[in-house]
Amino acid sequence: MLFTMHATIMIFFVIIPILAGGFGNYLIPLMIGAEDMAFPRLNMCSYWFMWPAFGCMILSFFMPGHGPGAGWTSYPPLSVLLSSAPGSGNAQTLWTLGMIFIGVASMMGSLNYMTTIIQMRAPGMHMFRMPMTVWGMFITAIMQAFALPVLTAALLMQLSDRVLLTGFFLPEAIAANNASPASGGGQPLLWQHLFWFYSHPAVYIMILPAMGMVSDMLSCFSRKPLFGYRPMVYSITAIAGLGFIVWGHHMFISGMNQILAVSFMVSTMLIALPSGIKVFNWIGTMYGGRLHLTTPMLFSIGFVSMFIIGGLSGIVMAAPPVDIMIHDTYYIVAHLHYVLFGSSILGVMGAIYFWFPKMFGRMMNDSLGKLHFLLTFVFLNGTFYPMHLLGAKGFPRRYADPYQLEGMLELLPMNQFMTYCAIGMGAAQLIFLVNFVGSMFVGPKADRNPWNSNSLEWSAPSPPGHGNFDFQPIVYRGPYEYSHPDTETDHFPQIVAEATDMKNVEVNA
Amino acid sequence: MNETGQPTHKKNSPFIFIIVFLMLCALTGLSFWIGRSHLMEDKFTGWSAMMAVSVAKAMLVVLFFMHLWWERPWKYVLTLPAIIMGALLVLLLVPDIGFRTERYSQERNSSAAESRELTLDSVNSEDVHFER
Amino acid sequence: MGLIYQPAVPVSPGKLAVWLFLSTEIMFFTALIGTYIVLRFGAPEGSWPTTSAVRIVEWIGALNTFVLICSSGTIVFAFENARRDKPAQAKIWLLLTMLLGGAFLGIKAYEYGSKFAHGIYPRVPRSLIYDRPDINYLSGLKQNLSQEIRDLEETKASPDEQQKLETLYLLQLGMVGWTEQKVGSTDDPMMKRLAIESLAQQIYPISDPQTDERINTYVANEANEVQMLFGEENAKLKETELTLKSTQSDIGQLSGIKEPNDEVKSTLAQKTKLANQLTAQITALTKKTTLLRKRKEALEIFKDVHGGINEHYHLKLPMVIPSGNTWANTYFLLTGFHALHVFGGLVAFLVLCPKRLGASRAGLVENVALYWHFVDIVWIFLFPLLYLF
């Protein structure tokens, strides 16, 4: 139950809302030169839909079974039969209901993002002059718009299987509690397909915005243009497109059609191409640059390195024979945490350090930040890296007491080591908390552009007041013109028309 | 374009809409007719014909009632991918769910629905005998 | 301050958002319709119910299609009038659209009602529809019937209910009890199947001329057989009763003898034993003949009931519709969510209604109209898929 709630809350209430909800709503208008999102009221609506969802999730903790019984993937028949596990009663129903609310909320949010980005860019802000952050958010919004309705439909069917006792996901010949011998005619695999049709793209929904933000930070602190801006955009789009046709790789041992499995393997391996392009472009951006190792930069570098590990283990698992071996072992846990924690969360942390001055008008403490990074990075690897080894030994996930299995006891010390590291990692976050709250009140005042960055949000006041901009932004170039030969300073903001105007900007700022 | 950004499309007189409306009615009648005609003898032909009629109707509504005929093709940018993605989703569901009966276990098969013809073909109903 | 923007497409943000929203709706309905398609065409071969089996009336569906197309037409004129700044006309067309939308929902409600009346719905705690005529169905039917009877017995019965109770008793013994006995007495699985199938057909016929012919033959043959058996058994009964009578008079005579010798005693004992045997035989035969008589009676009474026993007597007994549950699930899923969307459109119209629908609000009318057309398009696909396939 705790695992389920950990997964659900982390994915649907932490990463997606912070990345898409928080940063998206804040940064998109600022970065494209709009005074607000296209539909503020829709945004409000979307926000208020989050609370019933969250309420449902919390309530399900207090129902019999203390949380939903079927895991965050909610596979039938476990999730459909009403008394198959302690948490299969109201707790599961509330979970389903909460997920439906989130689906609606995210759908409204993504409509808002797409409309804002398409229609409300400042004059001169072509699609190919948008910062990677905005691109990441845009593609994310499109993915949400396409994938979420499918999950919502599937959840509604599951809810009706539970409440109206229909049988979309129930096979014949199940004779247990609410399934009479007469029910059935459905197929559990249908749920898996529909679920992963959303939940695989959800992985990219969780990482694409972070990728965008990291691209911005890397370019800014390397004082170099982003290496291959257009390939970066195309590779994001390709990841999104391919991301829709790889969902089957979560189902290799579900008894799915083998030809289908092979085609999913091929598309999964293909997705390594655009991901590889991105990694090499990030490295290319840093190569030969004048690196400023500020806290956000450290987190960005951490992101890239963790993403390489997470990505490589992903390719390993893409092949069905390998996946069948390591399915439901700690190898999978390692992979997903390297991608979600190692990459997404590190990216988010970096982004918070980076945009904090814009949000609150004060800088965060750099030394504390570096300490935070160091501890997080070390403990993160200490926690998740051994999982690869454990997984390769066959250590299963989701077991209450795996040591009852033969040969697992010798792995106990490694598990203990991981536990200490995890505690350390949690403790390290306290530093961040202190730094964040403290800096809100006592941090040194930040001016408009503390990092000497180019993109549009750094031309607005810090913090930006109502309406975001105190002037009409007009955009003359892309966001990555660092160390431009025509300028004396090493940055060349998007709003400045000519190199000779740079002096005036400095004075005004 | 006028100042509100709405396309002015002066050419669309009410007659166009009335003609489209009549065509839609006629097509509805046509698909109803197909359902009872000899085309349904071969199920596949009948289904294809009906789906073709439905696509034609949908196109009429989209092009004229939804004004796509008079507007630039920007709207395809998202609706077309959605349609392609949807088709792909359904297509990829076919092997696992569409052909699910091919891999039914004995037990599952014995409680699955079955064709009545199959049941009754194998017995002669005139051959009724009772244990005395 | 108002900022200037550089929109990528020449429409208002609202209209763009509506089109994007429609894209998400395409995905939503794709998931639903896709589910229907794979479940339906993947159902065990030949088992999907025909429209008449699930009491679908094609022309009502066609009428609903017509109503929705009309409403699509009227909302176009509402927009055209709003665009030309004729608020009064626009409002009339809008009201007309609302009326048609309401009519669609009304017809839908009528259709749902007629399904519910037959007991076709995903039901709590369990469905009345069974996929195949097997022993599960028979036991489900038996349980349902005895529950019904218990409920009726408990209430103070009006003459009408008394009548119904009689029917139920007859069903219990002459139909279900008989079938049970027959299924128990034969080893031929096909015979069992046929017996239950004919029972199911009499309760809820799935009009299918070819198979019905067979069921009818089966039932007619069975009626002859029952008639014959009843005659035989009845004769046997009469005969046994006569023997018993004579035995009993013998016993009377013998027991009348004073000071019986051993021979008389043993004869008496033999006769008494015989009498007991005969009584037992008579009990068994009476039971058999009662069952046969009830069967005969049931066959005569339920022979030509119009539309099946369920419909004729307004009963909701379990029925056999192969793949009927899957059909009901998908049918109510698709039409239900479509109806919800229609309802959403009506709410949007209701919000628009009190406003002045001049040129300044033409964009708003157009946005709602776009959504309404989409709902229409969904129905354009649902109609053949659900009613004509």
Side-chain angles (χ1 to χ4, degrees):
Chain A
M1 315 298 146
L2 273 174
F3 279 135
T4 306
M5 290 313 260
H6 165 72
T8 310
I9 290 184
M10 280 298 161
I11 293 172
F12 292 100
F13 290 96
V14 176
I15 301 187
I16 291 182
I18 286 186
L19 274 178
F23 277 111
N25 278 321
Y26 186 77
L27 287 180
I28 288 175
L30 272 172
M31 286 186 141
I32 62 173
E35 45 189 328
D36 199 349
M37 298 297 282
F39 309 104
R41 262 187 289 181
L42 190 68
N43 233 352
M44 204 62 195
C45 205
S46 155
Y47 174 77
W48 284 114
F49 259 85
M50 282 301 284
W51 286 109
F54 199 57
C56 284
M57 293 287 170
I58 297 298
L59 257 181
S60 84
F61 259 127
F62 297 102
M63 290 292 157
H66 304 288
W72 85 278
T73 52
S74 196
Y75 277 4
L78 187 56
S79 58
V80 173
L81 299 176
L82 294 183
S83 55
S84 46
S88 295
N90 286 339
Q92 186 73 32
T93 308
L94 277 169
W95 182 88
T96 317
L97 210 61
M99 294 292 288
I100 292 171
F101 274 120
I102 297 186
V104 177
S106 302
M107 192 270 293
M108 291 193 281
S110 74
L111 284 185
N112 208 351
Y113 294 172
M114 287 190 284
T115 313
T116 310
I117 293 172
I118 294 175
Q119 294 295 67
M120 294 177 67
R121 282 165 291 115
M125 178 66 91
H126 309 150
M127 292 302 265
F128 282 104
R129 279 182 184 173
M130 296 195 308
M132 287 308 294
T133 306
V134 180
W135 267 110
M137 305 269 183
F138 184 50
I139 301 291
T140 300
I142 293 178
M143 294 187 86
Q144 278 190 324
F146 282 161
L148 259 174
V150 175
L151 180 71
T152 309
L155 281 166
L156 286 166
M157 282 188 261
Q158 191 169 85
L159 195 66
S160 105
D161 272 6
R162 297 179 54 77
V163 178
L164 301 174
L165 306 191
T166 53
F168 294 108
F169 305 128
L170 267 188
E172 293 91 349
I174 272 207
N177 48 77
N178 61 318
S180 73
S183 71
Q187 180 77 327
L189 268 181
L190 177 61
W191 163 264
Q192 295 194 16
H193 275 290
L194 294 178
F195 177 80
W196 287 115
F197 183 83
Y198 167 74
S199 292
H200 190 78
V203 174
Y204 300 104
I205 288 170
M206 285 184 274
I207 202 163
L208 286 185
M211 282 179 169
M213 297 193 290
V214 163
S215 309
D216 280 2
M217 290 185 274
L218 280 177
S219 171
C220 174
F221 293 114
S222 303
R223 314 311 297 169
K224 258 185 72 186
L226 186 67
F227 188 87
Y229 171 77
R230 279 188 183 235
M232 284 294 245
V233 173
Y234 294 141
S235 63
I236 278 196
T237 319
I239 288 178
L242 286 170
F244 273 109
I245 52 170
V246 299
W247 77 83
H249 67 220
H250 295 266
M251 303 164 47
F252 283 152
I253 65 159
S254 67
M256 74 193 295
N257 185 300
Q258 287 309 305
I259 297 167
L260 209 58
V262 171
S263 55
F264 277 124
M265 176 190 84
V266 171
S267 58
T268 306
M269 292 192 161
L270 272 181
I271 220 167
L273 281 178
S275 311
I277 291 175
K278 294 196 79 72
V279 169
F280 284 117
N281 281 357
W282 285 323
I283 296 173
T285 306
M286 286 187 281
Y287 182 78
R290 285 177 291 120
L291 303 190
H292 296 202
L293 290 178
T294 56
T295 311
M297 181 62 170
L298 286 175
F299 273 104
S300 303
I301 297 172
F303 171 97
V304 176
S305 40
M306 294 298 95
F307 183 72
I308 293 172
I309 296 180
L312 283 177
S313 62
I315 302 173
V316 171
M317 299 190 299
V322 181
D323 185 70
I324 289 167
M325 274 295 291
I326 57 177
H327 186 90
D328 259 345
T329 66
Y330 266 33
Y331 199 89
I332 307 286
V333 184
H335 164 71
L336 79 93
H337 280 99
Y338 262 96
V339 176
L340 288 189
F341 192 95
S343 305
S344 285
I345 298 279
L346 284 194
V348 168
M349 294 281 186
I352 292 174
Y353 282 101
F354 189 61
W355 277 289
F356 189 88
K358 183 54 59 187
M359 290 176 179
F360 300 103
R362 289 173 190 275
M363 304 293 286
M364 276 176 94
N365 187 308
D366 205 44
S367 317
L368 275 180
K370 278 175 179 158
L371 183 67
H372 171 218
F373 168 74
L374 196 71
L375 292 176
T376 308
F377 191 75
V378 169
F379 285 133
L380 154 75
N381 282 292
T383 309
F384 297 122
Y385 194 79
M387 285 186 181
H388 286 118
L389 310 174
L390 290 177
K393 286 247 181 192
F395 197 80
R397 73 196 271 212
R398 292 185 181 134
Y399 274 35
D401 186 8
Y403 303 108
Q404 292 185 357
L405 297 176
E406 206 179 325
M408 290 296 132
L409 207 57
E410 61 184 72
L411 303 175
L412 187 60
M414 211 185 270
N415 269 304
Q416 282 168 336
F417 171 72
M418 278 158 48
T419 310
Y420 297 137
C421 286
I423 293 169
M425 189 162 68
Q429 305 316 307
L430 291 177
I431 304 173
F432 169 73
L433 213 65
V434 168
N435 194 351
F436 188 91
V437 178
S439 303
M440 266 166 78
F441 300 105
V442 296
K445 287 263 184 219
D447 62 5
R448 287 192 176 208
N449 195 355
W451 309 112
N452 286 338
S453 182
N454 282 345
S455 50
L456 217 48
E457 77 271 26
W458 300 109
S459 320
S462 307
H466 188 70
N468 280 350
F469 289 92
D470 48 5
F471 60 97
Q472 168 65 52
I474 295 171
V475 173
Y476 294 97
R477 69 187 57 74
Y480 299 114
E481 298 295 332
Y482 294 103
S483 308
H484 196 276
D486 296 348
T487 54
E488 290 167 23
T489 51
D490 62 355
H491 68 298
F492 199 176
Q494 287 184 286
I495 50 163
V496 179
E498 301 286 340
T500 46
D501 293 342
M502 277 303 287
K503 288 247 164 48
N504 309 332
V505 174
E506 296 300 315
V507 173
N508 285 344
Chain B
M1 301 288 153
N2 60 21
E3 63 283 342
T4 55
Q6 300 290 346
T8 39
H9 47 78
K10 287 186 184 103
K11 279 179 193 159
N12 52 348
S13 64
F15 292 112
I16 288 185
F17 294 125
I18 290 169
I19 290 166
V20 170
F21 171 72
L22 290 177
M23 280 168 79
L24 284 172
C25 293
L27 285 172
T28 307
L30 181 63
S31 63
F32 189 65
W33 175 79
I34 292 173
R36 325 193 131 216
S37 74
H38 65 278
L39 276 175
M40 281 308 276
E41 279 162 22
D42 178 22
K43 287 270 182 196
F44 191 73
T45 320
W47 290 339
S48 318
M50 267 189 253
M51 276 296 105
V53 171
S54 285
V55 170
K57 280 163 78 181
M59 285 315 287
L60 280 176
V61 173
V62 170
L63 286 179
F64 296 99
F65 284 0
M66 293 166 99
H67 309 119
L68 220 57
W69 186 259
W70 295 280
E71 283 182 274
R72 288 199 228 155
W74 55 266
K75 281 167 208 156
Y76 296 122
V77 169
L78 273 182
T79 44
L80 218 57
I83 290 165
I84 294 167
M85 205 93 79
L88 195 78
L89 170 64
V90 179
L91 209 66
L92 289 180
L93 288 178
V94 168
D96 276 348
I97 298 107
F99 296 143
R100 63 185 183 281
T101 47
E102 287 178 9
R103 298 193 292 154
Y104 270 14
S105 63
Q106 191 78 49
E107 192 191 3
R108 193 170 171 188
N109 224 347
S110 67
S111 50
E114 58 178 1
S115 161
R116 294 183 56 225
E117 278 79 3
L118 283 177
T119 322
L120 296 175
D121 269 348
S122 49
V123 275
N124 187 357
S125 53
E126 287 172 29
D127 190 23
V128 185
H129 288 298
F130 296 99
E131 311 281 319
R132 299 280 162 99
Chain C
M1 65 183 279
L3 300 181
I4 308 168
Y5 301 121
Q6 175 202 4
V9 290
V11 290
S12 69
K15 190 169 163 186
L16 178 69
V18 167
W19 272 98
L20 295 177
F21 173 62
L22 294 188
S23 310
T24 71
E25 288 282 65
I26 291 176
M27 291 310 287
F28 181 75
F29 276 103
T30 299
L32 297 186
I33 296 176
T35 298
Y36 167 75
I37 288 175
V38 290
L39 285 182
R40 184 226 157 107
F41 292 99
E45 205 184 330
S47 70
W48 198 257
T50 55
T51 43
S52 58
V54 284
R55 308 298 187 255
I56 278 247
V57 187
E58 280 100 336
W59 69 263
I60 294 184
L63 177 68
N64 244 353
T65 313
F66 177 70
V67 168
L68 217 51
I69 285 175
C70 284
S71 76
S72 240
T74 51
I75 194 69
V76 165
F77 286 108
F79 166 62
E80 286 297 315
N81 278 304
R83 197 167 60 83
R84 298 199 166 90
D85 207 12
K86 293 177 188 160
Q89 274 107 316
K91 189 148 290 174
I92 291 171
W93 285 110
L94 184 73
L95 286 173
L96 208 57
T97 315
M98 284 176 73
L99 204 68
L100 287 164
F104 177 88
L105 285 185
I107 296 172
K108 196 85 250 163
Y110 167 76
E111 278 193 296
Y112 273 23
S114 71
K115 302 275 176 311
F116 293 163
H118 283 102
I120 301 176
Y121 43 78
R123 195 182 100 132
V124 181
R126 60 181 52 178
S127 166
L128 292 178
I129 303 171
Y130 284 74
D131 272 336
R132 54 162 64 194
D134 57 5
I135 205 82
N136 285 321
Y137 169 67
L138 198 58
S139 73
L141 182 61
K142 195 179 163 193
Q143 271 177 30
N144 190 299
L145 199 56
S146 37
Q147 182 64 42
E148 194 95 346
I149 287 174
R150 227 172 304 142
D151 288 350
L152 260 184
E153 278 170 346
E154 273 170 21
T155 54
K156 201 98 176 117
S158 66
D160 264 5
E161 282 172 335
Q162 200 61 47
Q163 187 95 37
K164 193 176 170 190
L165 204 54
E166 292 297 320
T167 315
L168 290 180
Y169 284 140
L170 190 57
L171 271 170
Q172 195 177 30
L173 205 60
M175 303 293 280
V176 180
W178 167 264
T179 312
E180 216 176 7
Q181 185 260 344
K182 203 157 77 189
V183 167
S185 66
T186 174
D187 285 332
D188 181 3
M190 277 308 159
M191 223 35 155
K192 293 184 188 201
R193 179 72 54 83
L194 204 56
I196 305 177
E197 169 98 34
S198 78
L199 173 64
Q201 281 296 302
Q202 278 165 308
I203 287 174
Y204 183 87
I206 306 174
S207 306
D208 192 332
Q210 194 198 350
T211 45
D212 272 2
E213 190 63 36
R214 280 175 220 211
I215 296 293
N216 289 340
T217 329
Y218 174 85
V219 172
N221 284 342
E222 204 202 53
N224 289 338
E225 193 96 0
V226 166
Q227 182 77 35
M228 212 173 73
L229 262 178
F230 179 67
E232 279 175 21
E233 301 289 320
N234 213 16
K236 228 189 262 174
L237 178 66
K238 291 271 156 58
E239 203 185 302
T240 325
E241 273 170 353
L242 282 178
T243 326
L244 179 66
K245 216 170 250 174
S246 69
T247 318
Q248 273 167 341
S249 69
D250 282 357
I251 292 174
Q253 274 177 9
L254 283 172
S255 54
I257 297 173
K258 283 166 194 170
E259 295 171 22
N261 55 14
D262 283 357
E263 198 182 331
V264 172
K265 267 183 188 168
S266 73
T267 322
L268 188 61
Q270 263 178 17
K271 290 274 178 187
T272 316
K273 203 177 163 195
L274 181 66
N276 285 343
Q277 274 174 4
L278 284 172
T279 319
Q281 244 174 39
I282 285 172
T283 323
L285 276 172
T286 318
K287 215 172 146 193
K288 217 168 178 182
T289 40
T290 317
L291 190 59
L292 280 165
R293 201 176 53 244
K294 282 283 175 193
R295 180 59 177 167
K296 222 162 63 121
E297 210 178 308
L299 279 176
E300 272 157 28
I301 289 182
F302 299 131
K303 194 178 165 196
D304 289 319
V305 287
H306 177 69
I309 292 168
N310 258 1
E311 189 164 308
H312 190 80
Y313 296 102
H314 303 289
L315 293 172
K316 278 185 187 170
L317 297 174
M319 50 209 157
V320 172
I321 309 173
S323 286
N325 276 317
T326 316
W327 177 85
N329 295 344
T330 45
Y331 173 82
F332 287 112
L333 178 81
L334 291 178
T335 54
F337 277 108
H338 179 262
L340 275 180
H341 278 76
V342 171
F343 183 74
L346 286 182
V347 170
F349 289 145
L350 209 63
V351 172
L352 271 184
C353 218
K355 297 185 170 152
R356 186 183 177 278
L357 302 176
S360 59
R361 289 219 172 79
L364 209 56
V365 178
E366 189 184 15
N367 291 348
V368 179
L370 285 175
Y371 169 78
W372 191 254
H373 293 312
F374 173 76
V375 174
D376 185 23
I377 290 175
V378 171
W379 185 255
I380 283 176
F381 284 102
L382 288 188
F383 168 59
L385 278 172
L386 290 175
Y387 288 77
L388 302 177
F389 268 28

